[in-house]
Amino acid sequence: MKSKVVIVGRAGCVWSDTAVAEYSKRLRRYGGVEESFVKAEPFRGDVDRVRQREGERLLKHVGPRDRLVVLDERGLALDTHQFKDVVDSCRQGGVPNLIFAVGGPYGHDPSVRQKAWKVIRLSSMVLNHDVARVVLYEQLYRAMAILHNVPYHH
């Protein structure tokens, strides 16, 4: 199973890129993480249109056998072990790609939510892309450390 992160828009913050690079390096021993960015739709007064267009672009990255996890502050709250169980169920179930979707400034289109295997939250608060990326990558690494009995998780 491969882990993939698909983000609407562009991250561009040095501190978050550095943190993500560090966790990506650590995750290589477990198969790594692939990151893709889809173009954000310019806002022209129609929020629904923005979500729809961004959703179309995002869903092009999801294959028929992939599992899509949509990240949203209104999603299911998981603790670290429950998050680890989500990752492990895909590893054990022969899922080709576990895809995590980070939406744009206006959130995810309903079509993306409908396609999702799970909708989870990293926080009850809205997080910007840079913070969400770092939290997601750290939790992915923590989940893999638990699954492989690496002394990272306490």
Side-chain angles (χ1 to χ4, degrees), residues 86-147:
V86 165
V87 173
D88 195 38
S89 71
C90 292
R91 281 180 353 125
Q92 300 293 332
V95 172
N97 297 299
L98 175 57
I99 300 172
F100 294 92
V102 178
Y106 301 103
H108 291 286
D109 187 65
S111 64
V112 176
R113 291 172 165 280
Q114 289 171 349
K115 177 86 174 170
W117 173 59
K118 294 201 180 289
V119 179
I120 66 170
R121 66 175 139 196
L122 297 175
S123 171
S124 297
M125 294 182 241
V126 175
L127 303 176
N128 74 26
H129 284 66
D130 295 307
V131 174
R133 281 175 74 218
V134 173
V135 171
L136 175 60
Y137 277 74
E138 193 279 338
Q139 286 299 301
L140 280 169
Y141 178 69
R142 185 175 297 272
M144 297 309 278
I146 294 168
L147 290 168

Side-chain angles (χ1 to χ4, degrees), residues 34-84:
E34 180 183 307
E35 186 173 65
S36 300
F37 294 91
V38 298
K39 181 182 174 203
E41 183 69 16
F43 182 72
R44 293 190 176 96
D46 187 348
V47 171
D48 291 333
R49 179 74 175 152
V50 169
R51 285 187 194 130
Q52 177 191 12
R53 295 295 304 253
E54 291 173 350
E56 290 167 357
R57 291 179 188 126
L58 195 148
L59 289 175
K60 288 179 181 177
H61 291 263
V62 182
R65 293 184 51 233
D66 296 341
R67 293 264 171 96
L68 175 63
V69 175
V70 170
L71 303 178
D72 186 285
E73 73 274 8
R74 293 162 299 206
L76 184 64
L78 303 178
D79 65 24
T80 296
H81 287 280
Q82 291 168 323
F83 183 79
K84 179 255 316 165

